[in-house]
Amino acid sequence: MDTTSFYALSADVLATCHDKRDDLSAVLDPETGFAPRLSNMCKKRLREASEPDMLFESSREEIHMLRLESDTWDLLQTLMSARKTESTLPPTAKALLRQNPYTPTATLAQSILLHSPLLSELVVVREWLHDTAPEPHTPETAASYWKFTRLRLLQAQRTGNKKEVDTLVSELDPDAGNRNDGGKVLSADDANYEKALAQALYGYIRAGRLEDAIDLCRRTRRPWRAASIRGSLLFQWRALANESEDEDNADADSDFADGWSGNKRRKLWKQTCTRAALNPLLSEPDRALYAALAPSPASSVVLKAACRTWYDHLWAHVGIICEGKQVDALARAGAAGGGGGGFWEGGADAVARIVASASVPGVSQAAEEEEEEREEREWEREVIRTLEALANVGVTEGPPANDPFHASQLHIILNRTDKLLSDFAAGLQLGEFDPQATNFPSLTRFFAHLCLFLQIIDVPVPADATQIILEVYLQVLEEAGQREHIALYASALGENAVERYAMFLTSLDLSADLEERREALLRAEKHSLDMVRVAQATAEKTIERAFEALPRIKVALPPVVTREAPLSDMEWFLIRSIEWTTFMEQTYTDALEQANVIFRYFLGCGKVQAAKVLLTLLPAQLKLMPIADGFARTHGAEYVHYLQFFAVWDLFDRIVEAQLGESACTTKGARENWLAGYKTLLDETRERVVELLTTEWLVNEEEATRTKTRDQRHITLVRIRRIYIPELVIRLHALLVGSGDRIPRNLTYALDLANTVADSRYHLFEDFLDDDVRGADGSGDDGRTGVPRRRRLEDYLRAVRQAVLRGLEAGGSDPLRILHAA
């Protein structure tokens, strides 16, 4: 499973559980829920990374992270399920003992557990720590009991080796090796075996596998060790506990299903274990074993000394807390001043106190409950202080206490996920996590999914921290090329979801073709994002980004060139921004406005061909849109004017092509046909140009009234008129005059065009003025400071003068003949 699969599988888990967010039981399902699936994903990758042929490709750090992440998801599953599940509470331990002073200890312990939410959670944590424990190293089954010591003793007695006899133990009872008996010891092989066995038993206790530890003792012919371990089981007797026959009790011993099981004198057994743990004559593994069987503050030093990893320290602290809480609660239950845990913990004296307490009026029930709540709060504060200290505990093996996953686990146990997310988000902002580090993608993936998991199960999360974490993870996905998953995670950003996904779509480079962009936009709708708003925001951001990179329109009017330079990447980026608003009819109004903005930029820069490229990307439906409101009417009319201009511009291009085709006409008939077609083309061009000139192209009187407001759109439209109106007039005039010798009436049309330009109704002469033609630095297009670019009106008047002269030459004795030519 590669990193890409990790991203895809994580996204699949999120999408599936997000669809089931209204079904809490499905999200927290122990097999197919959110956390178990992510944990199994890590476990699968961990198995692959641990295979012999993959060890060289997988670093130790990666293996540690996979294990820690898997463990953390398992912890979330168990704890969140417990916190989100409401169970029916049985009677309190005090009530049970007052009803029946002979209530078994196991029943009382279960009641104590269920009535203390924090204790219940700590027991869940302890079970999780059992599951995460490493596999114990089990020694080989011994052929017999202390074989090597017995053989050496027999050999020494046969040979009369008194020194050997005095060195070895003289008795073979289980305590022989622990007595202070003149330095007598077991054979080294047997002593090492006992240590290895004690370490294996400790490993089983660490993993919560009590039955496996007992079975190992029996297989190695140490039944007394099995009895010692079995003493940790709480006393249980269903007949006294008033439990139904079919009730499932996981702690019950099947051999004693109809009678009692467990340890009737567990209090005495625990005292004995504590003394054994503190006995310096015992080996360190044995002392650790007894400290683990009966954890208590008295034996905590011994137990903590055996801890190697952070998990071990957490397990030791949790075990001591749980055992201590159970002992204290049992001692107080049943009677005012302490019921001693009933008959099985306190004997007949405890029964007498319970009976006496029930028959004598005492403190009111409300006062008792208030006192119990106060004690519970004090105990919870002490537990929190104890667990908080684990944030700085030293370890000899494995990741340190400040590892991000260990810190996460501790915050989850303390129910401080809000602080956990806030701290991680702050660390991201302060640069405490290196984006180039190998663990950065894994950390951001975990925390992003943690945020979303908590949101799905309705656990409050800080909005700001969630946004920061998801933003960073989205960047990780983008860098990893996981475009298909961006919409899913962006949709979790709430109010910022549309903006963030639009930001991603804006980042798509030119290599993304039209279909790829369309699919990316459709994914927004798939993940409940408003596709219309996404398209609008993307188009807006794309244009903004393009205009930030493209050169600004200069004050000086540009020349209109027939051969433009190839489009730059950013110009293409600007042109293709129109694609986002042309995928669906709901955004055609936005496409109309956006297209006009782009047209204004390119035409304002004198780049007609670039503007025509944009025209090819626009749907034909734009010009058929209804223009009921003023906004659409304004932009719709502007768009139609651009279409009118491009149609005229194409006619000029066709005329150039037609002129080139004249040389191919070698016969009189062909030339006549060509001339007829050329004349028709000129007439159409003249009519279209005159129509454009006389229809308030781009700027009408209403627009002109708003000129004083210095509206940027109007200023740009006026600029476009001043670039292209003179250009169209002069080009048409040149064509008409140039063809006057073949088509005499075109000279008349040329003079009519001059009259149109001079007509005050159309204000065309204003577009020939040289206002604002200087550059931003005060220079004109010819590079000489303070010199105008050109005086277009003078150029045109000079051309008109030449046309009049040609008309006079052709008029003979009538100098006004040209004005009346048919």
Side-chain angles (χ1 to χ4, degrees):
M1 183 191 301
D2 55 14
T3 305
T4 302
S5 301
F6 243 84
Y7 291 124
L9 291 174
S10 300
D12 179 64
V13 171
L14 174 60
T16 301
C17 292
H18 188 269
D19 293 339
K20 301 177 181 177
R21 59 188 179 276
D22 295 329
D23 185 0
L24 185 62
S25 61
V27 178
L28 294 177
D29 186 275
E31 298 295 332
T32 60
F34 190 106
R37 288 184 63 185
L38 289 178
S39 175
N40 292 334
M41 182 181 70
C42 295
K43 287 184 175 72
K44 181 179 179 181
R45 172 59 182 158
L46 182 60
R47 289 192 297 269
E48 294 174 354
S50 301
E51 292 178 358
D53 56 341
M54 293 290 292
L55 285 176
F56 292 104
E57 299 182 16
S58 305
S59 64
R60 182 182 298 272
E61 181 182 8
E62 179 187 7
I63 293 176
H64 277 315
M65 286 198 63
L66 287 169
R67 183 175 289 111
L68 288 171
E69 184 177 354
S70 174
D71 292 344
T72 308
W73 285 119
D74 289 337
L75 174 64
L76 281 163
Q77 170 63 25
T78 55
L79 265 184
M80 293 304 170
S81 297
R83 289 170 181 169
K84 288 291 182 177
T85 302
E86 295 183 2
S87 58
T88 303
L89 294 178
T92 63
K94 181 179 292 186
L96 289 172
L97 285 176
R98 287 181 175 177
Q99 293 173 5
N100 178 13
Y102 298 93
T103 301
T105 310
T107 304
L108 297 175
Q110 184 67 13
S111 176
I112 293 170
L113 174 67
L114 293 177
H115 280 275
S116 175
L118 179 56
L119 180 60
S120 300
E121 292 182 7
L122 290 177
V123 170
V124 169
V125 172
R126 184 172 60 182
E127 293 173 353
W128 166 72
L129 289 166
H130 290 162
D131 295 336
T132 61
E135 183 69 23
H137 298 288
T138 307
E140 296 181 1
T141 302
S144 60
Y145 175 67
W146 288 356
K147 171 183 176 182
F148 296 101
T149 302
R150 290 190 296 105
L151 291 178
R152 285 182 60 185
L153 281 172
L154 290 174
Q155 179 67 14
Q157 289 175 351
R158 280 196 300 267
T159 60
N161 189 342
K162 187 175 183 302
K163 182 179 180 182
E164 182 79 357
V165 173
D166 292 339
T167 302
L168 296 173
V169 295
S170 57
E171 298 171 342
L172 296 180
D173 62 281
D175 294 325
N178 302 323
R179 293 193 187 96
N180 189 6
D181 190 12
K184 292 185 177 183
V185 296
L186 294 173
S187 170
D189 291 331
D190 289 334
N192 291 335
Y193 186 83
E194 288 297 322
K195 289 182 179 179
L197 177 60
Q199 289 172 343
L201 293 175
Y202 172 82
Y204 280 122
I205 302 302
R206 166 69 180 84
R209 297 162 59 179
L210 210 64
E211 291 300 327
D212 289 339
I214 293 172
D215 181 66
L216 177 61
C217 294
R218 290 170 176 168
R219 287 189 287 109
T220 56
R221 297 176 175 82
R222 269 79 171 169
W224 58 89
R225 283 190 179 274
S228 298
I229 294 172
R230 195 172 186 80
S232 62
L233 296 176
L234 293 169
F235 174 69
Q236 179 172 292
W237 196 348
R238 291 187 179 182
L240 294 181
N242 297 322
E243 296 179 358
S244 61
E245 293 295 329
D246 58 346
E247 184 176 354
D248 182 22
N249 193 325
D251 294 333
D253 192 323
S254 59
D255 295 337
F256 298 91
D258 297 327
W260 63 270
S261 65
N263 190 349
K264 291 189 293 184
R265 297 291 181 265
R266 192 173 185 276
K267 184 177 180 180
L268 177 61
W269 168 88
K270 185 176 179 182
Q271 294 173 350
T272 305
C273 287
T274 301
R275 293 185 61 182
L278 299 176
N279 187 356
L281 296 178
L282 296 181
S283 66
E284 293 298 325
D286 273 322
R287 296 178 65 187
L289 172 62
Y290 289 114
L293 283 171
S296 67
S299 60
S300 62
V301 175
V302 177
L303 183 57
K304 293 174 184 177
C307 296
R308 295 290 180 267
T309 66
W310 188 83
Y311 283 158
D312 292 340
H313 284 279
L314 177 61
W315 170 76
H317 281 78
V318 170
I320 294 171
I321 292 170
C322 291
E323 188 70 21
K325 174 65 174 177
Q326 176 183 292
V327 170
D328 292 342
L330 282 173
R332 292 195 304 270
F343 175 77
W344 306 106
E345 289 288 318
D349 292 341
V351 175
R353 289 195 300 272
I354 294 171
V355 173
S357 176
S359 60
V360 177
V363 183
S364 66
Q365 182 177 357
E368 287 185 358
E369 292 178 354
E370 183 179 351
E371 178 64 18
E372 290 174 359
E373 291 177 359
R374 185 192 63 78
E375 292 176 353
E376 183 73 13
R377 289 194 298 270
E378 182 62 31
W379 174 76
E380 289 179 356
R381 285 194 291 268
E382 182 62 30
V383 169
I384 290 173
R385 284 194 296 267
T386 301
L387 295 179
E388 284 176 342
L390 290 170
N392 301 311
V393 70
V395 300
T396 57
E397 295 179 9
N402 62 354
D403 180 89
F405 283 108
H406 283 333
S408 301
Q409 291 159 358
L410 186 57
H411 279 78
I412 292 167
I413 294 170
L414 293 173
N415 201 14
R416 296 175 178 174
T417 51
D418 53 347
K419 185 176 186 302
L420 169 65
L421 298 176
S422 296
D423 289 348
F424 183 71
L428 291 173
Q429 288 184 310
L430 295 174
E432 295 177 2
F433 300 95
D434 182 9
Q436 304 303 320
T438 56
N439 65 346
F440 187 78
S442 299
L443 281 178
T444 53
R445 184 188 68 246
F446 167 75
F447 278 98
H449 287 85
L450 175 60
C451 294
L452 299 172
F453 172 60
L454 296 177
Q455 283 183 338
I456 290 174
I457 63 175
D458 293 328
V459 174
V461 294
D464 293 343
T466 300
Q467 181 173 340
I468 293 170
I469 293 171
L470 290 178
E471 284 279 2
V472 173
Y473 185 57
L474 286 172
Q475 294 174 14
V476 171
L477 289 176
E478 290 181 26
E479 293 175 1
Q482 300 297 309
R483 296 177 174 177
E484 63 273 22
H485 307 310
I486 300 293
L488 172 63
Y489 294 94
S491 64
L493 288 173
E495 296 179 356
N496 296 321
V498 170
E499 289 294 317
R500 184 56 184 84
Y501 193 56
M503 188 182 302
F504 159 69
L505 295 180
T506 304
S507 69
L508 294 180
D509 53 27
L510 295 174
S511 61
D513 59 21
L514 183 66
E515 285 305 313
E516 188 173 353
R517 290 188 171 201
R518 187 194 305 273
E519 292 176 4
L521 184 59
L522 290 175
R523 281 194 288 268
E525 185 177 37
K526 178 181 178 182
H527 298 294
S528 304
L529 291 174
D530 188 335
M531 194 162 61
V532 172
R533 288 181 56 203
V534 169
Q536 293 169 337
T538 304
E540 182 180 347
K541 290 180 179 296
T542 305
I543 290 180
E544 289 177 355
R545 178 182 168 189
F547 282 152
E548 287 176 359
L550 289 170
R552 299 182 63 182
I553 297 177
K554 297 180 180 180
V555 175
L557 299 181
V560 179
V561 296
T562 55
R563 293 185 179 181
E564 300 175 10
L567 292 173
S568 66
D569 288 344
M570 193 51 64
E571 288 175 333
W572 270 113
F573 188 73
L574 175 62
I575 291 172
R576 291 193 60 189
S577 68
I578 198 67
E579 294 174 347
W580 299 115
T581 50
T582 55
F583 288 132
M584 47 190 169
E585 293 184 4
Q586 297 93 318
T587 55
Y588 277 179
T589 301
D590 302 281
L592 189 67
E593 180 184 5
Q594 183 184 357
N596 289 342
V597 170
I598 301 173
F599 281 140
R600 286 197 294 269
Y601 174 77
F602 282 125
L603 294 179
C605 293
K607 296 186 176 183
V608 179
Q609 298 304 320
K612 289 178 66 176
V613 171
L614 171 64
L615 188 63
T616 63
L617 301 181
L618 297 175
Q621 295 92 323
L622 282 188
K623 60 183 178 181
L624 302 177
M625 287 182 57
I627 50 176
D629 59 89
F631 175 84
R633 186 182 304 112
T634 300
H635 288 281
E638 181 181 349
Y639 178 68
V640 171
H641 285 173
Y642 290 132
L643 296 181
Q644 184 182 12
F645 168 77
F646 291 127
V648 171
W649 202 265
D650 287 340
L651 286 172
F652 280 112
D653 291 339
R654 288 172 58 190
I655 288 174
V656 173
E657 294 176 1
Q659 290 173 341
L660 295 175
E662 181 183 7
S663 59
C665 301
T666 57
T667 64
K668 180 179 179 181
R671 285 195 296 271
E672 289 177 352
N673 291 335
W674 173 86
L675 182 59
Y678 185 62
K679 176 178 176 295
T680 302
L681 188 57
L682 283 176
D683 288 342
E684 183 181 359
T685 303
R686 175 182 55 78
E687 292 171 359
R688 291 287 189 92
V689 171
V690 172
E691 180 184 3
L692 184 148
L693 297 176
T694 58
T695 54
E696 297 182 327
W697 183 66
L698 292 181
V699 179
N700 54 32
E701 291 185 3
E702 181 183 352
E703 291 281 342
T705 304
R706 293 193 285 113
T707 307
K708 296 179 181 179
T709 63
R710 305 300 293 174
D711 176 76
Q712 185 59 47
R713 172 177 172 273
H714 175 71
I715 293 173
T716 306
L717 292 177
V718 171
R719 174 187 177 86
I720 293 172
R721 281 184 61 93
R722 293 191 175 182
I723 295 173
Y724 296 101
I725 291 294
E727 187 72 22
L728 293 176
V729 169
I730 293 174
R731 290 182 69 174
L732 178 60
H733 178 85
L735 287 173
L736 294 175
V737 173
S739 60
D741 55 344
R742 299 180 180 181
I743 312 173
R745 66 178 180 179
N746 280 355
L747 288 174
T748 303
Y749 289 145
L751 297 181
D752 289 341
L753 179 61
N755 290 332
T756 302
V757 172
D759 196 325
S760 61
R761 293 176 299 171
Y762 310 126
H763 302 280
L764 296 175
F765 59 89
E766 294 178 359
D767 296 314
F768 284 82
L769 299 179
D770 290 319
D771 296 343
D772 298 329
V773 298
R774 300 178 189 276
D777 57 354
S779 62
D781 286 347
D782 59 2
R784 292 179 295 168
T785 302
V787 179
R789 182 176 67 91
R790 69 174 182 242
R791 300 193 178 279
R792 290 167 292 177
L793 184 56
E794 294 180 0
D795 293 342
Y796 177 57
L797 292 177
R798 190 177 301 110
V800 172
R801 179 176 179 274
Q802 294 297 325
V804 173
L805 293 177
R806 289 192 59 178
L808 291 174
E809 293 174 358
S813 59
D814 184 3
L816 301 178
R817 180 182 177 186
I818 186 175
L819 300 177
H820 310 291

